Amino acid sequence: MSFPRIDLLVAPADATELILLAHGGEEESREPAGAWRPAILRMWSFVPAARAGAPGAAVGLMRYRYRGWNGADPVADLRAVLDRLPARITRVVLIGHSMGGRAIVAAGNHPLVDGVLALAPWLPDGEPLVQLRGPVVFAHGTADRITDPAQTAAYAKRLRASGVPVALLSVAAENHTMLQRSPDWNALVRDFAAGTSYEPSLDSDHVDPLPHSKHADNAVRGVLDIAKARLSLRVVGRL
């Protein structure tokens, strides 16, 4: 793939809002970001959740040129697709996981962006501060050993100190794959898409727990959610 694109999975003809899902990746890799890699597959179950929260919106998967961060390639790709969106799209909500979480934060000051939900984001120490707009929510599992929830909290604290309200959510007993508590993550995506998520705060150390649903923690359920979405949905357009 020589250029970045958006694969649309939900595309109402009159949609003026786009919910864009940005998947994770690796620190360094120029390999193509293949459609069947686990990082992008993980985002598929969020498509029905986003559609349930915002039934009139288009929902798409971000497709980077490369699998790796490579010094910020996904940010350049994300900005490129945002710059060329059709004029009818007047609002974009970004939802990203891991490397995708880092990318949406870095590109979250784009004029079209009005909402950022970063799931287990990779926000290393010294990450440049970006003045984000719209609701800003960070959620991170306490058992994550791939990206550091403490670094996410530190970035949220810096944002709050700069005057940007942030909702910071702690997801108990969850790891980086976000599979153990899949229904709870789906509910968060749905509510964020609907505009009914957690209220962002300027309190430097405020953290909210992500509530447990009635479902028991079970990674198998999360895998089945992904498989169901992957088999029932198809790409209906590209931007």
Side-chain angles (χ1 to χ4, degrees):
M1 179 166 42
S2 60
F3 59 90
R5 69 174 191 261
I6 298 169
D7 284 351
L8 290 174
L9 302 178
V10 180
D14 57 350
T16 61
E17 179 178 327
L18 169 67
I19 300 172
L20 183 54
L21 303 168
H23 67 84
E26 303 172 15
E27 187 169 356
E28 298 288 340
S29 175
R30 298 284 179 177
E31 293 295 316
W36 290 93
R37 291 192 59 80
I40 192 167
L41 288 175
R42 181 61 191 92
M43 306 307 289
W44 277 79
S45 63
F46 293 137
V47 176
R51 180 172 56 186
V59 182
L61 294 172
M62 180 65 206
R63 301 300 310 278
Y64 316 118
R65 290 169 295 160
Y66 310 118
R67 192 180 301 170
W69 179 257
N70 308 325
D73 278 337
V75 183
D77 290 352
L78 185 52
R79 288 190 179 276
V81 298
L82 291 173
D83 284 343
R84 67 169 187 254
L85 286 176
R88 71 176 188 277
I89 301 297
T90 58
R91 179 175 185 259
V92 178
V93 173
L94 299 177
I95 299 174
H97 172 229
S98 191
M99 182 187 79
R102 186 179 185 182
I104 67 168
V105 168
N109 59 354
H110 189 279
L112 288 176
V113 174
D114 184 35
V116 170
L117 172 58
L119 309 174
W122 173 31
L123 294 171
D125 295 336
E127 186 72 0
L129 201 63
V130 177
Q131 293 297 301
L132 303 174
R133 293 186 303 277
V136 179
V137 179
F138 294 167
H140 215 131
T142 60
D144 196 328
R145 299 295 178 265
I146 304 299
T147 56
D148 189 350
Q151 290 181 326
T152 296
Y155 193 89
K157 187 172 185 176
R158 291 169 59 204
L159 273 179
R160 287 165 167 171
S162 75
V164 177
V166 181
L168 179 62
L169 308 181
S170 178
V171 188
E174 182 59 282
N175 59 33
H176 193 65
T177 63
M178 308 182 298
L179 291 173
Q180 286 293 121
R181 295 180 53 184
S182 181
D184 303 333
W185 292 103
N186 290 342
L188 174 60
V189 169
R190 179 199 65 212
D191 293 346
F192 188 79
T196 59
S197 189
Y198 288 79
E199 187 68 28
S201 171
L202 284 172
D203 182 343
S204 62
D205 296 313
H206 183 78
V207 182
D208 287 305
L210 184 66
H212 265 94
S213 66
K214 63 181 179 181
H215 302 286
D217 295 354
N218 185 347
V220 173
R221 180 186 178 91
V223 173
L224 291 175
D225 284 346
I226 294 168
K228 181 180 178 180
R230 187 65 181 87
L231 293 172
S232 63
L233 296 167
R234 63 185 180 89
V235 176
V236 295
R238 291 191 168 93
L239 295 174

